[in-house]
Amino acid sequence: MSLPSDLLTKFDESMVKAGYTDRSKALQTAIHSLIDDYSWKTNDRSKGAGALVMLYDNHVFNQDKKSTKIQHKYADVISASMHLHLENDNCLETIMVRGDIQKIRELAKHLSENRGIKSLKVNFITLV
């Protein structure tokens, strides 16, 4: 594999900052990340696992009730969830998921359509 020297220098600097001492391991991690990202964005029908992290105002448009109703429809891919009360009316919720990537994408889409959601991030890995 050949890389431009400035790219390799930036990679090595980032690798050290991330705590890697072995370039091979850092490259493996980067390659897995690319594969996971591609699998998440494509219509791949493979399996995966991850977490959906939502920040929302729990008093806007009955967000709590809407979120719960949606989550019940996706019980087959939801393994667990955790709710954290932040300041004022803000809440942080993490939903642990596993299973069909397409179904998890649908869950994320339906949750993000709620007006009370301020942010929804997906951290996802494919299961090999």
Side-chain angles (χ1 to χ4, degrees), residues 44-75:
D44 187 10
R45 295 295 295 179
S46 62
K47 305 286 184 196
L52 308 179
V53 181
M54 297 187 301
L55 174 66
Y56 63 90
D57 182 334
N58 66 342
H59 293 295
V60 172
F61 301 103
N62 295 315
Q63 171 52 40
D64 283 339
K65 290 178 184 174
K66 288 181 180 181
S67 178
T68 300
K69 187 175 181 179
I70 291 168
Q71 289 181 48
H72 279 273
K73 292 180 183 178
Y74 291 90

Side-chain angles (χ1 to χ4, degrees), residues 95-114:
I95 304 168
M96 303 300 292
V97 293
R98 69 175 173 194
D100 180 69
I101 290 175
Q102 184 62 34
K103 190 95 182 219
I104 295 168
R105 269 195 218 108
E106 290 173 15
L107 168 62
K109 179 182 179 293
H110 286 125
L111 289 170
S112 68
E113 292 171 344
N114 292 327

Side-chain angles (χ1 to χ4, degrees), residues 11 26 30 38 44-46 56 60 77 91 97 101 115 121 124-125:
F11 181 81
Y38 179 77
D44 187 10
R45 295 295 295 179
S46 62
Y56 63 90
V60 172
V77 293
C91 293
V97 293
I101 290 175
R115 290 184 167 192
K121 302 217 184 267
F124 190 79
I125 57 171

Side-chain angles (χ1 to χ4, degrees), residues 114-127:
N114 292 327
R115 290 184 167 192
I117 301 288
K118 295 180 177 183
S119 175
L120 185 132
K121 302 217 184 267
V122 178
N123 187 1
F124 190 79
I125 57 171
T126 54
L127 302 176

Side-chain angles (χ1 to χ4, degrees), residues 2 8 12-13 17 20 29 34 39 43 45 52 58 60 85 88 105 111:
S2 63
L8 184 57
D12 285 342
E13 290 169 356
K17 288 177 183 175
Y20 291 97
T29 301
L34 176 69
S39 294
N43 287 328
R45 295 295 295 179
L52 308 179
N58 66 342
V60 172
H85 298 283
N88 302 322
R105 269 195 218 108
L111 289 170

